[in-house]
Structure formats: structure tokens, C-alpha cells
Amino acid sequence: MGAATGGQRALTDRLTGFDLPTPRDWPVLRQLRGRDKLGRGAAVKSRGSETLTARTHTADRVVKSVCPYCAVGCAQNVFVTDDAVVQIEGDPDAPHSRGRLCPKGSASLQLTTGSSREQHVLYRRPHGTDWERLDLDTAMNMIADRIVSTRRDGWEWENDEVRTRRCMSIAALGGATLDNEENYLIKKLLTALGIIQIENQARVCHSSTVVGLGTSFGRGASSTLPGDLQNSDLIVLEGSNMAEAHPVAFQWVLEAKARGATVIHVDPHYSRTSALADMFVPIRAGTDIAFLGGIINHVITTESDFREYVLHYTNAPTIIREEFADAGADGIFSGFDPDKPGYDPTSWQYQDAFMAAASGQRDQEGNLTAQGPSGEGQSSGDARGKPELDLTLQHPRCVWQILKRHYAGYTPEMVERVCGIPQNVFKKVCRLFVANSGRERTTAFVHGVGWTQHTIGSQYIRAASILQLLLGNMGRPGGGVMAMRGHASIQGSSDIPTLFDTLPGYIPMPHAHTHHDLDEFIAGDAPDKGFWGNMRSYMVSLLKAWWGEAATAESDYCFDYLPRLTGSHSTYDTVMEQIKGTVKGYILYGQNPAVGSANAKMQRLGMSKLDWLVVRDFSLIESATWWKDGPEIESGEWRTEDLATEVFFLPAASHTEKDGTFTNTQRMVQWHHKAVEPRDEQRSDLWFTYHLGHLIRRRLADSADDMDRPVLDLTWDYPTEGRWDDPSAEAVLAEISGWDAGGELLSAYTQLKDDGSTSCGCWIYCGAYADGVNQTARRKPAREQNWTCSDWAWAWPANRRILYNRASADPQGRPWSERKALVWWDAEQGRWTGHDVPDFQADKPPSYAPPDDAVGPDALAGDDPFIMQADGRGWLYAPAGVGDGPLPTHYEPQDSPVRNPLHRQQRNPARQVYQHPDNRYHPDPDEPGADVFPFVATTYRLTEHFTAGGMSRWTPYLAELQPEFFCEVSPELAAERGLEHGGWATIVSARGAVEARVMVTDRMTPLVSDGRVVHQIGMPYHWGRNGYARGDSMNELSSMSLDPSSHIQEVKALTIDIQPGRRPRGKARDELVKRYQERAGITAETGMAP
Amino acid sequence: MSDAQVTREGLENVRPGREARIWSASNGGRRGEGPVDHPRSSYYGNSIINPPVWEELDIAGYLFLGGLAGASSILAAGGDLTRRPTLARRSRLCASAAIAGSLTALIHDLGRPARFINMMRVVKPTSPMSIGTWILAAYSPLNFATSASDLTGIARPVGRAAGLGAAALGPAVASYTAALIANTAVPAWHGAHREMPFLFAGSAASAGAGFGLLAAPLAENAPAQRMAMAGAVAELAAEQLMERRLGMVAESMRTGTAGKRLKAAKALTALGAVGAATLGRRNRVGAALSGAALVAGSAVTRFGIFAAGMASATDPKYTVEPQRARLDATR
Amino acid sequence: MGGSGDGLLNVLLAGGDPATESGYDDHPPRMGFFTDTSICIGCKACEVACKEWNHVPEDGLNWTGWSHDNTQGLGADTWRHVAFIEQRSPVGEHQSNFQRDADSFRWLMSSDVCKHCTHAACLDVCPTGAIFRTEFGTVVVQADVCNGCGYCVPACPYGVLDKREDDGRIFKCTLCYDRLEVGQEPACAKACPTDSIQFGELDELRARAAGRVEQLHEAGVVEARLYGHDPEDGVGGDGAFFLLLDEPEVYGLPPDPVVTTRDLPAMWKRVGIAAGAMLAGAVVSFVGAGRE
């Protein structure tokens, strides 16, 4: 099915005609005439073969595009004939993908032109039992009506007597698969409508990366690019299944191996990545901080750190306040309030200097769970006063000493007890780290969601960051922390966020209560040193971009138009609000929470309480059809007729059917051109948002109500083009990039002003449209430029490819090593030069020492490489910004079979948990009933599928490669439980029960942790009930339990039980789960205690 | 440590990823032992060659009928020359019917029967099916011509000449199919390529002669009787040799469906031969029964050989073990 | 006529360039694949890229439990097939602190494809000339000629060709003949993320492969060996050859394939003799029986 795509003739098609030779070229005669006497070659060539040619050769045009699947962002050539896409291939000119594509990228022709995409709007009326057709205009108008009325009903001017000016009754989810321009318009429109519950896949995938990297280095994005891995001496893949999830980027790991680099893969499950690694280290899921802490301890105790780097570029010498008390044996830092539960981080501060995270202080007053970079937010310090340093590192309260004490307990013996890693193996890893770091060599970390999706996820990233700072690997060739992100533009949807807690460019969303005006907001949230010192310029330029003429000094640049936060409004909080009945309208943009979000049951329950739901996608995903065929319908728990939710399904346009930019995993913003117009009622999200905006504005046109001003004053005029009046994506990109009062396009964020004379939709993207040239569309072939390829597309910030690259040079500006040169100070020219654009003021000499009264960037010295940090240093110790402590500490996952051997505190005390009958947690390891869920489950992706399956389960060429949901178990566990290879297993948690085919394999290995054998079960999570390849969803088992700083869910480590055989059908399925809950003695309180 | 460098000039010692080292020396010094303890013989028991996609009834039938036709043409011509009119006429008709059936089966088995004509596109000595098609192209018309003239009484001299022509091609028709199936990668067929022609020729002779015994009156069946015995002996002897030569692959002929069929075939052929020898000239019924047994024996032989081929193609061991043995012998 | 074919058939196993042997006077160099399985990451991009380019039908959902292989083998609807072999073998490393009987493990992955043999049985036995040798030395089934006789299917010593049931004809890898015609590389090689599939002039590939084996042996990977590279082997060398890390049969490949037509002259001889004997036997039967 769906195989014949494009309508062009490939060899087999071309030759289906019957070859009837004329008498004179009868092959027998040709045999006699020519040299091919045996009739095996020239003599028997048919006319079909004679006239054969490739459709890539005869195509009318080749359109430059970008793969819509993962965040590697492979460049594609789209071949078009007769206005139909006939072939999609890799673009050989691309520096990052070099013309290669993985199976998903290779299937993008079938994805976009195949028969599985919906062509028409579908409508389910309240209590309706089936879909009905609806024409697009009617649907758009109905949706506009509902938004207007639901917004009015749910409007909130104040919350606890504090101005909030917002609408709590509407929420949106999705954006990582969309273009930056689409996310920009969505955030712009919905924010103007007062909607704050705007979220996307970035929340559930890498929000903790943003917190971890942001607090440590200043920017919450990958510090490097896969292509730079070729320069590494050691590559440590941990929490990443790179060869499977990012196959094309993995070519750079092989490139490094070809040059002699060593590759280590640390993972609970032996994957295709492990198969290519030099060393595979099995680890118990959820214990990476113990492992990394052990290495940190090794580095410190053996003093094998890169001391010069540590002294000058990290906050190791910084002295911390007396009030600070380390976690110690009990595992709780000072400032903990068990009633919240959560931390007041004031005691973590620097001595005599106040480092506040950008939105930390405010937020903490109201809600202690969302600190600092508050989830997707950006970190920076508010450096009031000057930190006190001890360059001897001897002061008992200096960060170095605190670090040393904190990790003293993380010994090789302890690492083995916690992680199940043999001490000799662990020591070997330590040796490799040390041997491949320092002045002459560099080590790179590659991580993915294996690290991020934990109740302590942000601290996983922090731990790696600490190690990289100690070893001097940040900002240097072959070093850094490579965050492998999963969606085509999930980095972009964090930068230009469809996220609740940030505005474009990681400016924090204002919080309620004390933010009365712009000045107070800036005063409270912006530091005075580093580039965040210019936050007012970024903010005012954003307000100008949104409210144009209306945004004047007199109107306080319409700052008051922004809705305010009162704590966490993450997608999981939104689900609870839906269940409570606060949220009545929900828009899904290419996201499938009924399969992809933790505790799928809660997701469906939330949607079942809605008045209306809008789903924009390619096909009828589970989140669109739960009301007629979801698990609750199957079990008889719900009756379709009883469900009042009104559902609109709007078919979406594909990447080949619209212009726009994706931002890939290396912060590279790439333009993809529209190849063909979308068909029938398929439309881009840019089209949807733009026209929806106009429909809403038309309805409010005559309103005098102050709540409607932001919508009516919104700048919303974009030129339209094409058959369907798509707004010009290029115009939107230009607005994002920014212009000055004279309408001149800006080239760098340093040009932004705080007086309203500049307009810029996202300050870190300023310059993406410099000189009126679409910089993101540049495609200068890799072979024609140096290895950083800065003329291919455009990267934020300021087209820098490797962040913090000032740190690749010593304090005097010379490369630490001539074999690791990246940027260096050119004394003659008096500027920084090198392979990459310097991530530093180009003309600031290494010797520059700031005057005491200096503010902003000028307050940073010539050897302060971390220019977003208020103290210009990498943070080994985070005085603010991370909700659960200044230093990563090992806590067990929410559901774990093992008692925490390192600290008395079992779980992350500040984690976010939700009390709900459908979201029960498992007992503590030593409580009675704990053994009811004796095994650890971990989840991962397969090469052949994509996330929640929306773009792969409907694509036959991919579906056939991994047709069924399966679980991977070790032979030992199979023997213990009587599981049969190829048979079925039922897997149960307190949340649900699923069935999967059993794969018995040596790739899963048991571990001994704290004296007990721990069996781990691997589960890919791609499947659902719809599509071509179907199966149960792993997320029926997972729970909503979140990391406090980023609100990311824990799905990489949970406990379950597994039994042979298929799961019960109908009611019996729920009854089975209930029985398990009873046997385990689970109550509303279980697992809730801090 | 990597020998990659990024100097101020740029990247140095760049090498393509395809030169990546695997399981590098950093890995526990377990090098050099070579793989051990894992299934060596096959890939999940999957067949290595793809088994024939031929329909058994079509192709085994085609093999049998071709043999029957070829031999019958010879008997017909002989009967004609030696004034055995009944033997001649009935064998002639048998040959025509058989070859018609054979052609039908061949065409029916094509994935695109309408394209049978493409068989005439080329003459390929490397393809027994091509050569066979050309043989049939010459043989069948002669055969039909002689039968037609015999039935209608028109142009008898021409008909008789055609009959002699058909007889001349008869042996080829009867035996080329041996090369056809032997010229494949099917272990049981290719391995027997030396004996298969004799087996088929013998089987064909006993089938044709068997029909002669069945169809001709005692007065005319002397040649059929002798040819039947000769054919049967040849068939059985060739089969013995073949099984010895095949070694372990012969298992595919002794077991399963093939085993049952070939045992039955041998019994029928032997019985038919003995019957022909003892009753062939004395008792009309006995002669007929012996003849029927021989015809049946020949048919079952072809179906047995076909089944053996399928079995040997499906189980990878029949492909791997002989090749492995060959390699080990040369090492 | 067995004899007559015989003379001609002597060229069957002649060495030399197959395109020249097949009557192309001036033709491009012989092109082929070198599949280096040591760097295969089992992503199956080759399978999908091939299907997309050649419009090969998706052929059903069938979870096999053969590690990650749900394709099983080459056939009419699978022209590239990635094999997965899980082995307890001392060359891999797989150590937890749990003592299991074998703490060593490795995972072999290999992308199989039509070998485009120098001496191709499928091409030899094809009665219609549907299968032919191209000017690039590759072997292609011409779908406008093939009548689905199926003879090539059992003739192939590698089990590459098969009949597409709903179509009736035979299909296999064409080494993207249409792309080669316009100087483009085959879809699978173009997609391959790690260059495990390398396309190029066969001579150059053979040289590169020899170097690669040497390199791996130096690195201590003693089990690395080439398969199908040797012009002296039973099929005169493959146009698509491989670097393997274990015996061929482990990957589902024949250890020592021989083109069946190598024995065809002998077969024709014996067919001739058998036919002659049959005729002689008949004559004797009649002569002995005398006339009525």
C-alpha cells in the first residue's frame, strides 16, 4: 500500500509495457549479427531499457529542503515534475548530512505523497459516534467562535489580588515539528489572547537539557555540533542511542573512530549504538548521576582536572555563603521546605554577591518548583556585588572544596553498588576520561532523552557539565556537550518557544504578583553583567515586533499586554487543569500526547473533559480518535455517546508544501522551500494561525473591552502568496530577525536598543535576515568552505557554530594546544580570529579588565569566556537556577526497586508529583508490596520509527520494518518468568497494563545493585492503536512525575511486572491493574512523600 | 588517542568514516580469539537459495508428459515402419495428447502466459528452457501433423514423414528436461546432473513403452515389452547411481514426500517391468496392467524428483554442507 | 545438439569483462557495490531508499523475532535486506557485575543485495532474454520482456530473485540501472549514513576493500574477510561483494557458490548420450522383435 508515489516511472514501472521487437531487430537476428552470440547482453536489450532514464534527471526542478523527522536536519533535494514531488534525496552539498538519509528521511517521499495522509477536514460533534465532513471555512469559523467565547468565559484579570490578565480556559500543545515562523505566530497570537498554557514536545524531550546547560554555561542549547565530534579523542555516548535515533549524525562518530578516537556507550540496553562502540557499559536505569559523580570524584581526588582552565574559566574558586549546607548523608540541601515541598535557594548564593536566575526570585515566591531558567527558560545571573574568589582553592567554602566534599562518597565501590557497573570497568572509564582530556586532548559527551527524562533530569545534564568543566572540554574542538534532540525544529520551538515559561530568546515570561511594569520586570529578572544585562533591549524590541505602533514609551511598550504566570503551567499541569475542568479548549499542533506523553490515560482523561479539541496532523492519530476507539472505549469504561468533546481534525501541510525554517540540534537554522502547494484542505500551521488570527480579530473588532486590546493592537499584516494565501514565511522570518526605526534590517543583537527604536521578534535570531538576505537559505557546498561551514544556513547566536569558543584559548588568548585550535586573539589585527565566529566581543583583548562600575557585556573581563553568565564563568556549582540543588545528587527514580545507597533521601525531594486515581505511584523498595513491581523498565526509540509514531506507523515502508510493539528481556529474566521468545508478555504498572511481543536477547543484561539482582526490560514506545503498524503504547504504564526545574516526566526508568501471555481484554484489563494496586497496597499517599 | 588535529590552518589527518576501527584494542585485550559459540550453519534456518516458484502439477507434469510424448513418438514411428498399425496410431495419438498437455502445463505455469511468445525472442544454448522451447517448436507441429493425417487420412505420406521427424526429435524432447532442472542451484537436482538425463530417458522409455503395452494388442506389443524392460532398468539403475552420488543431499530423496513418492515409483516401475517380462506377451490384461504400472511409475518418479528438489532447496543445510565440505577439502 | 551448444558454451566461464563478453563494444567501466558490514549500523536506510526509488511494494507486516530483522531475505519485494545476527563472541564487550555464562557479545549487521555475478546463472538460464547484462556489467531483469517462467529463481545460488505473485514477473535489484544511465549512484548507496554501502568502479572497490581488510587485521579484527571479491571463485567474482566478520552462512550466504551453468556443457553431453541411447534402445527393441 502507498508504495507507488510521485507518479513518475521508475525502472520497474517504465518497463511494464510489452516489448514487441520489429522483425529486423528481432533479438535472434541481433544475436547472429552482433558479438553477443549467446544472447545475454547487447542483443537482447529491450526498448524499455534503451530509452531508460532517471526521474531525478528529467525532473522540472529541484527544490532545496530539510528532512522533517529528527533534529539532525539532513538537507534534502526535492525533485518536482508536473507540480508533483517525484523523489526526495539527501543534498550532497550539506556539511552536516553530506547527502545521506536514514530510513525515515528516505521514506519522506512516501510520508508526504503517500496515501495515508488525510485530505479533508473531519468533525466530530458533541456525543457524535463518528466523523463527519466539514468544509475548511466553516471549520475555521467555528474554531474562531469557540476561541472567542471560551476565552471570554475563562478570562482572569486577577489571581489572589494580583494582576494576571490571562485566559486559563484554552491550551495548546505541539510545535517541535513545525517551522520557527509557525511557532512564532502561534506564540504571538495565543499570548496576545492571554493564553499561557502553550507547550510543545520540547517540554517532554529536552527541557531539562535547557536547564542543565543553561545554568552551567549560559545557554540551554547544545554547545557544539555533531560534525565537531570528528575532532574528539574520546566520545562518551550516554543517555543517547545515537546510531538509532540520529543515524546520519552518527557518521561523525565513525569519522572520529577512523582517526583513532575511542567511543564508549553507557546505557541500560545494548543498542545498535553499542554495537559500534569500543566499549559498552551497561548501567542500571536512573543512576547516571552516581556514575558521573563517581568520575567527578575520581578527577578531583586524583587532581587530574585541567587546573588552569578550572581556575580561570569556572567558579571553582568562588566562595559560597556560610548558610549553605551540603546535601550530605541525608541528601537534602539547606533551604528545604518539606511542606511545599521544595527549596528556597537563597542559602546557596555566592558570598557577598547575588546570583539570581533570570526569573528565579519571583517565581520562588509563588511556587518553589519552577526555578531559574524555569524549565525551558534561559539562565543568567543577576550579579549584584562581586564574587569572592580563592585561587588557591583551599578555602573550605570555595566551590572546589564543596564539590570535593559533595562527591567524596561517590567511590568506585559505591558506583558498583548503585549502578551495577564492575569497578574495573568503571576505573577503565575514568582512566579514559582523564587520558583524553586536558590541554592536548578533548572528550565530548553525547546525550539524548535517556538523560533528560528523569525526576532529576536537569541534574543529569549538570553532572556532565561539571565534568566537562573540570576536564576543560567546553568550548574546544572535539569537546562540549552534544545534546541530540529529536524533532526537526525542537530546538527552534525552544528558542522561539511554544512554551509557557519563556518568550522568544529565553526571556522569561513575567510572573504575577510583583511585576507591575517593564522596569520592575527588568530590574527583577535581568542581571547587570554579561549579555543578559541588555535584556531590556531584547524585551522592548520584542514588544515592538508584537505591538508595533502601540508599543511606545508611554504605553510602557505594552508590557502590560503580556499574561502573567503563577507557577508551573506545563503540559502536565495543563492536563490536571483539563481534568479539573478549568481548561475547556485545546489545540494540538502535530503532537500526539495520547501516545507520547507520560501516563497516556491521564492525557485522554483530560481531553475527554474538554468542550472542544482541535487536532492538526497528517493522519488520524490516537489523540484525535480516543473518543471512538481509545482504550477506555474498548474497556467499556467510557461510552462514545457520553463524551461531549467536540473534535475538529484539520489535515496539515508537509515540509515540502511550505516555506520556513527548522532549527536543528546544533542550533542551525535551515530554510526549506515550498516545492508544491498542499492538496485539498491540507494547510500549513502558518496559514492556520494567520487566518485564525484574522477571524478572531474580525470578531473582536468592535470590542471596547480592555482584554481585547492586545489582540487588536497586534501587528498581524503579512503579505500572502500562493494558491491558498499562505502568509509569507520570509516576512515572518524578517520580523523575527528584526529591523530598526528606519526599517533597515538588523545584522546582530548587539544593535538592539531599549528605547523602542528597534524591533526584533527573537533577539538570539537577530541577523538571520541580515542585509535583506535570507541567511538561513544559504547553501554554500561544504567542500567550498572550512570545516565549521559558517556559510551553510545560519546558526544562533550570531552564526556561531561552537559556543563558548573563547574557552578554546588560554587566558592570554592562545589556543590551549596547537592541535586543538578554534579561535584565538590576533594581536596585530586586535581581534579574535579563527575557524569559527568568536563567541565573544570580537575586539575585546584578553587583557581587558572591567572597571568596577561597568555593566552588561563590558563588565566581563577579556578572559571570561561564558559571556551569558553574570560572572562570566562556567558553573560547577549553580547558586541559583536549578530547583533541586546547586550540585547534582543521586536520588532513585520515582519508582525504583532499590533503596538509595548514597543518601537517606530516596527520591528527589523537590520533584513534582500528582495525586490522582489514574496516576498512582509504586511503594518504596523496602515497603511491603514493593516486590509486586520487581523489574526496571526503560524506554527508547528505534531507527525505523519516529517518536509517537505519527510520521512512521502510517508510512508502510517504515511500518513493515518494525511492525509490532515488543519488549526486550534477558535470557535470565525470560527463564525466571517463563517468557518465550516470539511469544507475548503482559506488562503491568499501577497505571496500566500493556501487551508486547517478547524479544529474548543477550542485549539485555541483569545487574546486581546493592546486593540484589535487577532485571531491566527495554521497551520502544512508538506504538498506538491507529495507523498501519499497531500496538499498545508504553506510556499506558508510565506516571506523571516530574523534574522540578524543567517539568519533564520520568519515562526512562520505572518499575513494572511482566508475565507471559497476552493482556486481558475489556473490563478485565482495568481489573488486572486494580488487583496489582491492591496487592501492592497502593494508596493515594504511596510515593507522594518528599 | 585520536591523531586528528585542528591546527590554526584547519583540520589535519582527516580520514573517511568508512575507515573506522571496530572493537578497538582499547577493548580488554580479548583480540584474536575469533568468534565462538553461536549458530554457524544458517541464518535463522532460512533457506539460502530461493526454492522454485513452479507449480508442482504444472512442472512435474510437464516433465512426465514430455517424456511420455517423446518415447511414444519413437514407438509410433517404429510401429509404423514395422507395420504395427494399432501400436503406431495409438502411440502417435498419445504423443500428441501428451505434448499438448505438456505445452499447456508449461504455459499455464508462466506468471504472464500471454508472454509465452517471448520464449521465441532468443536462442540461448545456456538455457535448457530456451533450447527446449525450440525443440518443442519443431517437434509439436510434426507430431500434430502426423496424428492429423492419420485420423483424417489426408496426405498420408507427408504424415508418415512427419511422424519419422517427430520420432527423431522424440529422444531430445524426452531428455532435455533433465538438463532443465539440473541446471539450477537446487542441490538435489544440480547434484544429480550426471545421472538425471539417463534417469529421464529411461523413465520416458518405460512410460512410452508402458503405454504401448497398455494400448497395443498382444500381437503388436513385442517392441514395447522389450523397450519397457530396458527403460525400467535404465531408470532404476540411474536412480541408484544418483542417490549414491548425492551423498548427504540424497536424504532429501529418501525422506518426506519425495521419499514416499520415489519408493512408490520404484515399486511400480519394478513391478511393471517384471509384469511386462512375464505376462507382457501372454496375457492382454497382464500386459495392460504392467504397462499402466510403468506409466504410473514414470509419473510418480517425476513428482518425486520435483519434491526432492523443493525439499533440498528449502533446508539450508543441503546448500551449506556440501559447499562447506568442498571448501574444507581445498583448505 | 548438446555438442553444438558445447562449443559456444566454452565462453561461459571465460574471464574478462562481462560487458565486453556480452557484446558491448565500448562501454563504461564495470560498476558495483562494496558493502562493508563492519560499519553497518543496521538502520535499513538502504531498504527504504531502494523501495522509494524503485517503487517496490511494501510487503506486509510480519514481526519475526529475528533480532531487528523483519524483512527476512531478498525477494521480489526486497532488493536490499539487512541481516541482524546476535552472537556470544569474545570480540565484543558486554560486562555488568552480574556473572552470566557468557559476558561477551557482539551484534553483526549486514546489508545484502543482488551480487551481479560475473557468471550469472539467472542470466544464463533466462529463456526470453529478459535478464541481461548491461553495459555497466550489471545484471538486470527487463520487466517488459519477463514472462515469469521462474527459471532464474532456483538458478540463483544466492536466492536473490523471486516472483512477485500478484504481478507474475520476477524482480530484483537493478543496481539502479536508470540512475547509472545518467551518472547517478544507486539509491541505497546514496542514502547509507555510514558509507557501509560503497558504490563505484569494481576494480577500485576491490582495491579499497583489500586495504580495509588489512587495516582491520592490523587492528586485531582477525575475523574480517572479504566475500565475493575473488574473480577466481565459482561465479567469477561478484559485482556486489562484502566484508564479513564471520562465515558467510551465518549471514545466510552460501559459503562456496558455483554458477550452475559451469556444468551445463557436461549436462548437454549427457543429454545427448542419453537421447542417443534411448533411440538406440528403441531401434533394438524393434529390430529384435522383428516384423509381424
Side-chain angles (χ1 to χ4, degrees), chain A residues 962-977:
Chain A
Q962 291 290 3
E964 287 188 58
F965 177 36
F966 61 92
C967 62
E968 301 188 304
V969 299
S970 68
E972 293 82 0
L973 175 57
E976 187 177 321
R977 277 291 198 228

Side-chain angles (χ1 to χ4, degrees), chain A residues 748-821:
Chain A
Y749 61 79
T750 45
Q751 297 170 293
L752 297 175
K753 303 268 182 306
D754 64 358
D755 58 3
S757 62
T758 56
S759 159
C760 176
C762 178
W763 72 275
I764 56 176
Y765 280 55
C766 187
Y769 209 83
D771 319 319
V773 177
N774 184 344
Q775 305 289 338
T776 68
R778 298 179 307 160
R779 288 204 171 208
K780 185 175 180 183
R783 58 187 171 283
E784 298 170 18
Q785 45 181 326
N786 88 3
W787 64 279
T788 56
C789 291
S790 41
D791 293 337
W792 181 275
W794 186 88
W796 73 263
N799 205 27
R800 296 162 190 158
R801 305 296 167 129
I802 296 177
L803 298 179
Y804 324 115
N805 53 30
R806 162 67 180 91
S808 69
D810 65 15
Q812 292 71 37
R814 304 158 304 195
W816 288 107
S817 157
E818 287 304 327
R819 67 186 296 276
K820 295 283 179 184

Side-chain angles (χ1 to χ4, degrees), chain A residues 88-353:
Chain A
I88 300 180
E89 291 181 6
D91 181 346
D93 295 342
H96 54 309
S97 57
R98 301 197 288 189
R100 306 169 191 186
L101 290 176
C102 76
K104 293 186 288 290
S106 298
S108 50
L109 176 64
Q110 190 178 59
L111 171 78
T112 54
T113 64
S115 53
S116 55
R117 274 176 67 191
E118 292 298 326
Q119 306 277 336
H120 299 285
V121 173
L122 294 173
Y123 174 67
R124 186 254 176 174
R125 63 182 67 246
H127 305 290
T129 55
D130 208 346
W131 290 111
E132 305 166 34
R133 281 281 292 277
L134 202 63
D135 71 84
L136 185 56
D137 284 354
T138 316
M140 291 294 289
N141 280 290
M142 289 170 74
I143 294 167
D145 290 337
R146 279 150 188 69
I147 290 177
V148 167
S149 62
T150 306
R151 169 173 176 264
R152 198 161 295 282
D153 302 343
W155 188 260
E156 175 191 283
W157 278 114
E158 286 194 343
N159 180 302
D160 303 339
E161 284 103 52
V162 189
R163 186 173 176 85
T164 51
R165 189 182 192 134
R166 64 187 185 182
C167 161
M168 293 297 286
S169 53
I170 300 175
L173 181 66
T177 62
L178 312 185
D179 296 339
N180 289 314
E181 295 72 18
E182 295 175 321
N183 279 298
Y184 179 76
L185 286 199
I186 292 169
K187 179 76 174 184
K188 184 178 177 181
L189 177 66
L190 298 189
T191 307
L193 285 164
I195 296 167
I196 57 169
Q197 296 161 107
I198 308 167
E199 287 276 272
N200 75 55
Q201 292 92 334
R203 176 71 58 208
V204 299
C205 293
H206 264 284
S207 51
S208 44
T209 295
V210 178
V211 176
L213 296 178
T215 50
S216 306
F217 310 121
R219 298 189 190 94
S222 177
S223 76
T224 181
L225 54 144
D228 181 49
L229 294 175
Q230 67 183 307
N231 299 318
S232 307
D233 297 282
L234 172 67
I235 299 172
V236 181
L237 301 138
E238 187 170 348
S240 163
N241 181 0
M242 191 182 190
E244 296 200 42
H246 306 93
V248 178
F250 195 72
Q251 67 181 281
W252 298 107
V253 175
L254 291 185
E255 206 90 351
K257 281 169 71 74
R259 277 161 238 177
T262 305
V263 176
I264 303 176
H265 188 222
V266 186
D267 204 282
H269 133 268
Y270 187 108
S271 68
R272 281 170 264 200
T273 306
S274 328
L276 271 286
D278 295 310
M279 187 176 177
F280 171 65
V281 182
I283 185 173
R284 176 164 69 90
T287 65
D288 300 55
I289 289 178
F291 176 73
L292 295 169
I295 303 173
I296 293 170
N297 185 35
H298 172 88
V299 170
I300 294 178
T301 47
T302 58
E303 304 226 323
S304 31
D305 57 297
F306 187 0
R307 186 55 57 93
E308 228 179 313
Y309 187 104
V310 168
L311 282 177
H312 295 94
Y313 296 166
T314 78
N315 65 354
T318 312
I319 296 176
I320 304 303
R321 295 185 177 184
E322 240 160 318
E323 307 89 282
F324 171 71
D326 189 18
D330 61 352
I332 296 186
F333 294 94
S334 54
F336 186 68
D337 176 348
D339 305 330
K340 298 266 193 321
Y343 284 101
D344 169 358
T346 12
S347 63
W348 308 344
Q349 285 292 336
Y350 287 179
Q351 177 78 57
D352 307 331

